[in-house]
Amino acid sequence: MKKTALIIAALLAAVTPLYAGNFTKDVSFSYAGKAFSADGWRKNATVVDSETTTVEYISPDGRLKYSVVTREYSDFPVVETRPYLECISSDSTDFIDDFVSLHLTRPHTSGSVRVRRMTGSLSSYTDFCRQDVLLQGRHECDYVKMSSPEGRSSAWLPYFGVDFDSG
């Protein structure tokens, strides 16, 4: 049996509660030289409606607000996440470094996982072409990394799908 989940996420997506309990999801960035940890930041979660949740984190120095708006569509299997970084002080924030847009981790059980993705625009003949990656439970075939060296959608479009083959 094949389960399909289409994930629509901005390249700065952060937390995606996809198939609750099956994934470990992390946001990764450094603020003021320290790795982000929700433990040291004030947190406020708000349910906007039946599909949308907003989670806000305020930095320990009170100058940066990191927000994540997550929408889980009820009529089709899509999760959309949008992060926001906002200076909420009259003072400048410290530096934000090493922002990882989306990090999903799922234990490999059996079968394979196919990631369907589209290339972005680097002004080459391969722009906007589909490129699938088949993930398997062996070294160097067990992860996929999609990063954009020039920002925005230069290397990958911010939409991708994940297919899970159960056997």
PDB file of all heavy atoms in Angstrom, residues 6-29:
ATOM      1  N   LEU A   6       1.672  15.162   0.293  1.00  0.00           N
ATOM      2  CA  LEU A   6       2.226  16.290  -0.432  1.00  0.00           C
ATOM      3  C   LEU A   6       2.457  17.398   0.571  1.00  0.00           C
ATOM      4  O   LEU A   6       1.556  17.790   1.289  1.00  0.00           O
ATOM      5  CB  LEU A   6       1.262  16.758  -1.517  1.00  0.00           C
ATOM      6  CG  LEU A   6       1.660  18.015  -2.268  1.00  0.00           C
ATOM      7  CD1 LEU A   6       2.946  17.760  -3.044  1.00  0.00           C
ATOM      8  CD2 LEU A   6       0.569  18.444  -3.205  1.00  0.00           C
ATOM      9  N   ILE A   7       3.662  17.857   0.641  1.00  0.00           N
ATOM     10  CA  ILE A   7       4.019  18.894   1.595  1.00  0.00           C
ATOM     11  C   ILE A   7       4.289  20.170   0.834  1.00  0.00           C
ATOM     12  O   ILE A   7       5.102  20.184  -0.074  1.00  0.00           O
ATOM     13  CB  ILE A   7       5.280  18.516   2.387  1.00  0.00           C
ATOM     14  CG1 ILE A   7       5.059  17.197   3.106  1.00  0.00           C
ATOM     15  CG2 ILE A   7       5.626  19.622   3.378  1.00  0.00           C
ATOM     16  CD1 ILE A   7       6.314  16.637   3.665  1.00  0.00           C
ATOM     17  N   ILE A   8       3.569  21.208   1.165  1.00  0.00           N
ATOM     18  CA  ILE A   8       3.844  22.514   0.583  1.00  0.00           C
ATOM     19  C   ILE A   8       4.459  23.345   1.691  1.00  0.00           C
ATOM     20  O   ILE A   8       3.849  23.547   2.724  1.00  0.00           O
ATOM     21  CB  ILE A   8       2.568  23.173   0.059  1.00  0.00           C
ATOM     22  CG1 ILE A   8       1.978  22.333  -1.069  1.00  0.00           C
ATOM     23  CG2 ILE A   8       2.851  24.588  -0.411  1.00  0.00           C
ATOM     24  CD1 ILE A   8       0.706  22.863  -1.626  1.00  0.00           C
ATOM     25  N   ALA A   9       5.663  23.770   1.473  1.00  0.00           N
ATOM     26  CA  ALA A   9       6.351  24.500   2.525  1.00  0.00           C
ATOM     27  C   ALA A   9       7.247  25.554   1.912  1.00  0.00           C
ATOM     28  O   ALA A   9       7.891  25.315   0.920  1.00  0.00           O
ATOM     29  CB  ALA A   9       7.198  23.540   3.347  1.00  0.00           C
ATOM     30  N   ALA A  10       7.261  26.718   2.488  1.00  0.00           N
ATOM     31  CA  ALA A  10       8.214  27.736   2.056  1.00  0.00           C
ATOM     32  C   ALA A  10       9.606  27.221   2.377  1.00  0.00           C
ATOM     33  O   ALA A  10       9.784  26.406   3.268  1.00  0.00           O
ATOM     34  CB  ALA A  10       7.956  29.042   2.809  1.00  0.00           C
ATOM     35  N   LEU A  11      10.608  27.700   1.630  1.00  0.00           N
ATOM     36  CA  LEU A  11      11.962  27.227   1.893  1.00  0.00           C
ATOM     37  C   LEU A  11      12.421  27.598   3.297  1.00  0.00           C
ATOM     38  O   LEU A  11      13.358  27.021   3.808  1.00  0.00           O
ATOM     39  CB  LEU A  11      12.938  27.773   0.858  1.00  0.00           C
ATOM     40  CG  LEU A  11      12.927  27.012  -0.452  1.00  0.00           C
ATOM     41  CD1 LEU A  11      13.910  27.631  -1.421  1.00  0.00           C
ATOM     42  CD2 LEU A  11      13.247  25.562  -0.238  1.00  0.00           C
ATOM     43  N   LEU A  12      11.745  28.525   3.898  1.00  0.00           N
ATOM     44  CA  LEU A  12      12.055  28.837   5.290  1.00  0.00           C
ATOM     45  C   LEU A  12      11.075  28.160   6.224  1.00  0.00           C
ATOM     46  O   LEU A  12      10.784  28.647   7.298  1.00  0.00           O
ATOM     47  CB  LEU A  12      12.050  30.347   5.523  1.00  0.00           C
ATOM     48  CG  LEU A  12      13.147  31.112   4.827  1.00  0.00           C
ATOM     49  CD1 LEU A  12      13.026  32.604   5.130  1.00  0.00           C
ATOM     50  CD2 LEU A  12      14.499  30.609   5.239  1.00  0.00           C
ATOM     51  N   ALA A  13      10.545  27.016   5.801  1.00  0.00           N
ATOM     52  CA  ALA A  13       9.621  26.294   6.660  1.00  0.00           C
ATOM     53  C   ALA A  13      10.362  25.752   7.862  1.00  0.00           C
ATOM     54  O   ALA A  13      11.541  25.485   7.808  1.00  0.00           O
ATOM     55  CB  ALA A  13       8.978  25.160   5.888  1.00  0.00           C
ATOM     56  N   ALA A  14       9.641  25.574   8.925  1.00  0.00           N
ATOM     57  CA  ALA A  14      10.342  25.175  10.130  1.00  0.00           C
ATOM     58  C   ALA A  14       9.730  23.952  10.786  1.00  0.00           C
ATOM     59  O   ALA A  14      10.404  22.942  10.917  1.00  0.00           O
ATOM     60  CB  ALA A  14      10.370  26.333  11.108  1.00  0.00           C
ATOM     61  N   VAL A  15       8.515  24.003  11.218  1.00  0.00           N
ATOM     62  CA  VAL A  15       7.958  22.894  11.970  1.00  0.00           C
ATOM     63  C   VAL A  15       6.766  22.340  11.204  1.00  0.00           C
ATOM     64  O   VAL A  15       5.832  23.047  10.926  1.00  0.00           O
ATOM     65  CB  VAL A  15       7.485  23.363  13.361  1.00  0.00           C
ATOM     66  CG1 VAL A  15       6.904  22.213  14.145  1.00  0.00           C
ATOM     67  CG2 VAL A  15       8.642  23.998  14.104  1.00  0.00           C
ATOM     68  N   THR A  16       6.803  21.069  10.859  1.00  0.00           N
ATOM     69  CA  THR A  16       5.724  20.454  10.110  1.00  0.00           C
ATOM     70  C   THR A  16       5.216  19.231  10.842  1.00  0.00           C
ATOM     71  O   THR A  16       5.886  18.215  10.886  1.00  0.00           O
ATOM     72  CB  THR A  16       6.215  20.053   8.690  1.00  0.00           C
ATOM     73  OG1 THR A  16       6.729  21.201   8.054  1.00  0.00           O
ATOM     74  CG2 THR A  16       5.061  19.486   7.885  1.00  0.00           C
ATOM     75  N   PRO A  17       4.027  19.303  11.435  1.00  0.00           N
ATOM     76  CA  PRO A  17       3.488  18.152  12.155  1.00  0.00           C
ATOM     77  C   PRO A  17       2.837  17.161  11.193  1.00  0.00           C
ATOM     78  O   PRO A  17       1.642  16.990  11.181  1.00  0.00           O
ATOM     79  CB  PRO A  17       2.455  18.791  13.078  1.00  0.00           C
ATOM     80  CG  PRO A  17       1.985  19.972  12.318  1.00  0.00           C
ATOM     81  CD  PRO A  17       3.163  20.457  11.535  1.00  0.00           C
ATOM     82  N   LEU A  18       3.630  16.511  10.386  1.00  0.00           N
ATOM     83  CA  LEU A  18       3.142  15.630   9.342  1.00  0.00           C
ATOM     84  C   LEU A  18       2.942  14.233   9.897  1.00  0.00           C
ATOM     85  O   LEU A  18       3.858  13.659  10.462  1.00  0.00           O
ATOM     86  CB  LEU A  18       4.161  15.622   8.209  1.00  0.00           C
ATOM     87  CG  LEU A  18       3.853  14.785   6.999  1.00  0.00           C
ATOM     88  CD1 LEU A  18       2.641  15.350   6.283  1.00  0.00           C
ATOM     89  CD2 LEU A  18       5.041  14.755   6.090  1.00  0.00           C
ATOM     90  N   TYR A  19       1.771  13.667   9.716  1.00  0.00           N
ATOM     91  CA  TYR A  19       1.448  12.355  10.271  1.00  0.00           C
ATOM     92  C   TYR A  19       1.934  12.272  11.712  1.00  0.00           C
ATOM     93  O   TYR A  19       2.895  11.603  12.024  1.00  0.00           O
ATOM     94  CB  TYR A  19       2.053  11.222   9.446  1.00  0.00           C
ATOM     95  CG  TYR A  19       1.445  11.075   8.097  1.00  0.00           C
ATOM     96  CD1 TYR A  19       2.252  11.083   6.976  1.00  0.00           C
ATOM     97  CD2 TYR A  19       0.078  10.929   7.927  1.00  0.00           C
ATOM     98  CE1 TYR A  19       1.703  10.950   5.723  1.00  0.00           C
ATOM     99  CE2 TYR A  19      -0.467  10.796   6.680  1.00  0.00           C
ATOM    100  CZ  TYR A  19       0.336  10.813   5.575  1.00  0.00           C
ATOM    101  OH  TYR A  19      -0.210  10.687   4.333  1.00  0.00           O
ATOM    102  N   ALA A  20       1.267  12.964  12.559  1.00  0.00           N
ATOM    103  CA  ALA A  20       1.664  13.135  13.959  1.00  0.00           C
ATOM    104  C   ALA A  20       2.265  11.870  14.548  1.00  0.00           C
ATOM    105  O   ALA A  20       1.732  10.797  14.430  1.00  0.00           O
ATOM    106  CB  ALA A  20       0.466  13.570  14.779  1.00  0.00           C
ATOM    107  N   GLY A  21       3.410  12.016  15.168  1.00  0.00           N
ATOM    108  CA  GLY A  21       4.070  10.898  15.823  1.00  0.00           C
ATOM    109  C   GLY A  21       5.042  10.148  14.939  1.00  0.00           C
ATOM    110  O   GLY A  21       5.899   9.447  15.435  1.00  0.00           O
ATOM    111  N   ASN A  22       4.929  10.274  13.622  1.00  0.00           N
ATOM    112  CA  ASN A  22       5.817   9.543  12.726  1.00  0.00           C
ATOM    113  C   ASN A  22       7.098  10.307  12.416  1.00  0.00           C
ATOM    114  O   ASN A  22       8.060   9.728  11.942  1.00  0.00           O
ATOM    115  CB  ASN A  22       5.120   9.225  11.408  1.00  0.00           C
ATOM    116  CG  ASN A  22       4.053   8.171  11.574  1.00  0.00           C
ATOM    117  OD1 ASN A  22       4.054   7.447  12.557  1.00  0.00           O
ATOM    118  ND2 ASN A  22       3.154   8.104  10.628  1.00  0.00           N
ATOM    119  N   PHE A  23       7.104  11.603  12.638  1.00  0.00           N
ATOM    120  CA  PHE A  23       8.240  12.420  12.272  1.00  0.00           C
ATOM    121  C   PHE A  23       8.813  13.137  13.480  1.00  0.00           C
ATOM    122  O   PHE A  23       8.090  13.522  14.386  1.00  0.00           O
ATOM    123  CB  PHE A  23       7.838  13.502  11.262  1.00  0.00           C
ATOM    124  CG  PHE A  23       7.729  13.008   9.869  1.00  0.00           C
ATOM    125  CD1 PHE A  23       6.531  12.539   9.380  1.00  0.00           C
ATOM    126  CD2 PHE A  23       8.831  13.013   9.039  1.00  0.00           C
ATOM    127  CE1 PHE A  23       6.428  12.094   8.093  1.00  0.00           C
ATOM    128  CE2 PHE A  23       8.733  12.566   7.748  1.00  0.00           C
ATOM    129  CZ  PHE A  23       7.524  12.101   7.266  1.00  0.00           C
ATOM    130  N   THR A  24      10.109  13.336  13.454  1.00  0.00           N
ATOM    131  CA  THR A  24      10.763  14.274  14.345  1.00  0.00           C
ATOM    132  C   THR A  24      11.037  15.492  13.487  1.00  0.00           C
ATOM    133  O   THR A  24      11.608  15.378  12.412  1.00  0.00           O
ATOM    134  CB  THR A  24      12.092  13.709  14.879  1.00  0.00           C
ATOM    135  OG1 THR A  24      11.817  12.488  15.541  1.00  0.00           O
ATOM    136  CG2 THR A  24      12.754  14.683  15.822  1.00  0.00           C
ATOM    137  N   LYS A  25      10.607  16.649  13.932  1.00  0.00           N
ATOM    138  CA  LYS A  25      10.815  17.851  13.144  1.00  0.00           C
ATOM    139  C   LYS A  25      11.597  18.851  13.966  1.00  0.00           C
ATOM    140  O   LYS A  25      11.342  19.018  15.151  1.00  0.00           O
ATOM    141  CB  LYS A  25       9.507  18.439  12.640  1.00  0.00           C
ATOM    142  CG  LYS A  25       8.441  18.646  13.677  1.00  0.00           C
ATOM    143  CD  LYS A  25       7.529  17.466  13.731  1.00  0.00           C
ATOM    144  CE  LYS A  25       6.485  17.611  14.795  1.00  0.00           C
ATOM    145  NZ  LYS A  25       5.929  16.369  15.202  1.00  0.00           N
ATOM    146  N   ASP A  26      12.540  19.469  13.334  1.00  0.00           N
ATOM    147  CA  ASP A  26      13.421  20.395  14.030  1.00  0.00           C
ATOM    148  C   ASP A  26      13.555  21.676  13.232  1.00  0.00           C
ATOM    149  O   ASP A  26      13.540  21.658  12.013  1.00  0.00           O
ATOM    150  CB  ASP A  26      14.821  19.805  14.190  1.00  0.00           C
ATOM    151  CG  ASP A  26      14.833  18.545  15.025  1.00  0.00           C
ATOM    152  OD1 ASP A  26      14.235  18.552  16.105  1.00  0.00           O
ATOM    153  OD2 ASP A  26      15.429  17.557  14.577  1.00  0.00           O
ATOM    154  N   VAL A  27      13.698  22.767  13.931  1.00  0.00           N
ATOM    155  CA  VAL A  27      14.145  24.002  13.325  1.00  0.00           C
ATOM    156  C   VAL A  27      15.572  24.176  13.799  1.00  0.00           C
ATOM    157  O   VAL A  27      15.906  23.816  14.923  1.00  0.00           O
ATOM    158  CB  VAL A  27      13.270  25.208  13.710  1.00  0.00           C
ATOM    159  CG1 VAL A  27      13.283  25.441  15.190  1.00  0.00           C
ATOM    160  CG2 VAL A  27      13.722  26.442  12.970  1.00  0.00           C
ATOM    161  N   SER A  28      16.391  24.665  12.928  1.00  0.00           N
ATOM    162  CA  SER A  28      17.792  24.790  13.286  1.00  0.00           C
ATOM    163  C   SER A  28      18.310  26.147  12.835  1.00  0.00           C
ATOM    164  O   SER A  28      18.303  26.449  11.649  1.00  0.00           O
ATOM    165  CB  SER A  28      18.588  23.664  12.619  1.00  0.00           C
ATOM    166  OG  SER A  28      19.955  23.807  12.885  1.00  0.00           O
ATOM    167  N   PHE A  29      18.686  26.949  13.799  1.00  0.00           N
ATOM    168  CA  PHE A  29      19.374  28.197  13.504  1.00  0.00           C
ATOM    169  C   PHE A  29      20.093  28.651  14.758  1.00  0.00           C
ATOM    170  O   PHE A  29      19.844  28.152  15.853  1.00  0.00           O
ATOM    171  CB  PHE A  29      18.415  29.281  12.976  1.00  0.00           C
ATOM    172  CG  PHE A  29      17.413  29.806  13.958  1.00  0.00           C
ATOM    173  CD1 PHE A  29      17.676  30.923  14.730  1.00  0.00           C
ATOM    174  CD2 PHE A  29      16.171  29.207  14.082  1.00  0.00           C
ATOM    175  CE1 PHE A  29      16.745  31.419  15.622  1.00  0.00           C
ATOM    176  CE2 PHE A  29      15.228  29.695  14.964  1.00  0.00           C
ATOM    177  CZ  PHE A  29      15.510  30.801  15.738  1.00  0.00           C
TER     178      PHE A  29
END
